Amino acid sequence: MIFNINAALLDALVLAIVKKEDTYGYEITRVLKNELDVSESTLYPVLRRLQKDDCLEIYDKEYSGRNRRYYKITDRGRKQFDMYRDEWQNYKATITNIFEGVIDDE
């Protein structure tokens, strides 16, 4: 993808993935890497930031004899995701209007 992905968009994408179901860091990375050019080293700071901002909680769960760290969205994270989704819809509509020549001249 030739367009840059900023921190807010990464936060929104991670929250969207975790909102669907609790999951672990490698799975979040795998989902995003399948669609975007994002490295694992980019995503773990995002997860830490979202946890620090009380948008995600973490817990450990045993998997194949070892603990795996899972991420769960919080109420604050859901509200943040809803705000990001609404902002994205407005942004997407604006960009689409510009691409299609439907520009408000005011």
Side-chain angles (χ1 to χ4, degrees):
M1 180 177 286
I2 63 170
F3 297 106
N4 290 328
I5 299 171
N6 67 21
L9 185 54
L10 271 176
D11 287 359
L13 294 171
V14 168
L15 289 173
I17 292 167
V18 178
K19 183 177 178 284
K20 184 177 177 184
E21 66 180 326
D22 296 3
T23 192
Y24 53 99
Y26 178 78
E27 180 66 10
I28 295 166
T29 301
R30 188 191 64 74
V31 169
L32 287 175
K33 282 179 80 170
N34 281 345
E35 303 299 326
L36 305 169
D37 185 25
V38 176
S39 70
E40 192 172 332
S41 63
T42 300
L43 287 175
Y44 280 96
V46 172
L47 290 167
R48 284 192 295 277
R49 181 175 59 248
L50 289 169
Q51 181 189 0
K52 182 178 145 275
D53 292 343
D54 296 322
C55 292
L56 294 178
E57 294 176 348
I58 59 170
Y59 62 92
D60 291 336
K61 185 176 176 181
E62 186 180 332
Y63 178 81
S64 295
R66 63 183 188 92
N67 279 339
R68 182 182 274 173
R69 177 153 290 171
Y70 280 78
Y71 295 87
K72 176 181 180 173
I73 196 166
T74 63
D75 288 339
R76 181 180 174 126
R78 288 184 207 298
K79 290 175 186 169
Q80 187 70 19
F81 171 76
D82 290 342
M83 185 274 299
Y84 283 139
R85 185 189 55 220
D86 293 345
E87 285 294 317
W88 177 256
Q89 292 302 322
N90 291 334
Y91 183 76
K92 183 173 72 169
T94 299
I95 298 301
T96 299
N97 286 341
I98 293 169
F99 281 166
E100 293 177 0
V102 183
I103 302 170
D104 188 5
D105 290 5
E106 290 183 49

